[in-house]
């Protein structure tokens, strides 16, 4: 969450640009929802400026209340590393390393999506687009339907037939970008 706050602050204050949309994929959806709730609380400090649009790509609606069910998704070696070091390397690609920390897992386990959504319900400019793959085995498409049924103001749902959790690489990129573009045209003032 702090990383997202810093990026939005940098774009607004240093680059002097408006932030019209924030996109989160998978666990990033929790981060953007927490950001939206935080921003609603901080409106006075931001001169009333807030990010009007959020895009949820394959996000999970409800999460476990402890980290144990989350940890079981990882290998025995990764679980051991977490117990010993409070973190583990999830993947490496060249120079890039993606680490998972105990703090991240605890934040995720304690996330109450319904409470977060209720805290942004009164935001007059808030809009959210959920895009989910119908063939997602990591986070079933029912999570997308839960977002749609939750009462989020100005919520739109796009389910992409045949798309998996990562939207089959770039195979569905045109569908995703088109859906986001059309969504922004409807919800962002020029």
């Amino acid at each position: 969450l702090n990383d997202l706050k810093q990026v939005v602050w940098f774009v607004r204050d240093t680059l002097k640009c408006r932030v019209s949309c924030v996109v989160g994929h998978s666990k990033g959806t929790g981060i953007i929802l927490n950001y939206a709730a935080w921003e609603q609380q901080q409106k006075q400090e931001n001169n009333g400026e807030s990010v009007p649009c959020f895009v949820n790509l394959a996000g999970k609606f409800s999460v476990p209340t402890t980290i144990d069910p989350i940890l079981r998704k990882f290998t025995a070696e990764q679980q051991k590393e977490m117990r010993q070091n409070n973190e583990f390397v999830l993947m490496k690609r060249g120079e890039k390393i993606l680490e998972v920390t105990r703090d991240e897992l605890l934040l995720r386990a304690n996330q109450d999506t319904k409470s977060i959504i209720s805290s942004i319900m009164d935001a007059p400019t808030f809009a959210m687009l959920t895009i989910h793959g119908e063939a997602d085995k990591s986070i079933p498409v029912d999570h997308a339907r839960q977002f749609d049924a939750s009462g989020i103001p100005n919520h739109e749902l796009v389910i992409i037939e045949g798309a998996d959790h990562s939207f089959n690489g770039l195979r569905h990129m045109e569908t995703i970008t088109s859906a986001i573009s059309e969504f922004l045209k409807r919800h962002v003032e020029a």
Side-chain angles (χ1 to χ4, degrees):
L1 180 58
N2 286 330
D3 289 345
L4 180 55
K5 290 177 185 177
Q6 291 298 315
V7 168
V8 172
W9 176 83
F10 177 80
V11 171
R12 284 179 177 156
D13 291 355
T14 304
L15 300 179
K16 306 293 184 206
C17 294
R18 179 177 177 210
V19 179
S20 298
C21 182
V22 178
V23 179
H25 175 259
S26 195
K27 77 174 186 173
T29 295
I31 294 167
I32 67 170
L33 283 173
N34 278 302
Y35 179 83
W38 172 82
E39 195 173 61
Q40 288 307 306
Q41 296 170 348
Q42 303 296 315
K43 265 196 160 176
Q44 269 94 20
E45 292 179 28
N46 295 335
N47 299 323
E49 184 179 2
S50 62
V51 176
C53 295
F54 293 82
V55 177
N56 159 20
L57 296 173
K60 188 175 264 192
F61 185 81
S62 56
V63 294
T65 56
T66 67
I67 65 171
D68 293 334
I70 299 170
L71 268 178
R72 283 195 288 269
K73 291 182 174 184
F74 302 109
T75 67
E77 182 62 31
Q78 290 169 329
Q79 291 176 38
K80 180 181 174 188
E81 199 174 327
M82 176 63 78
R83 284 190 299 275
Q84 292 174 344
N85 305 322
N86 289 325
E87 66 183 23
F88 66 86
V89 174
L90 180 62
M91 71 173 71
K92 290 182 182 181
R93 285 195 182 149
E95 302 270 324
K96 295 183 182 181
I97 298 172
L98 176 60
E99 290 182 321
V100 175
T101 67
R102 178 170 293 284
D103 289 344
E104 288 173 335
L105 293 182
L106 286 170
L107 180 65
R108 186 151 173 80
N110 292 319
Q111 178 176 308
D112 181 357
T113 304
K114 290 178 184 176
S115 293
I116 293 169
I117 289 170
S118 70
S119 74
I120 56 178
M121 290 298 242
D122 296 331
T125 60
F126 182 87
M128 184 171 177
L129 171 64
T130 294
I131 303 174
H132 210 102
E134 166 268 332
D136 189 336
K137 288 182 175 50
S138 297
I139 299 175
V141 72
D142 287 344
H143 285 268
R145 292 186 180 104
Q146 284 181 281
F147 276 106
D148 198 43
S150 70
I152 295 173
N154 301 312
H155 184 265
E156 297 178 24
L157 175 62
V158 174
I159 296 174
I160 302 175
E161 191 173 324
D164 64 10
H165 188 65
S166 61
F167 299 96
N168 307 83
L170 299 177
R171 191 173 315 148
H172 298 284
M173 189 58 65
E174 187 174 323
T175 303
I176 293 167
T177 55
S178 175
I180 293 171
S181 178
E182 293 302 313
F183 173 75
L184 291 175
K185 286 178 190 174
R186 287 189 294 277
H187 295 285
V188 177
E189 297 174 13

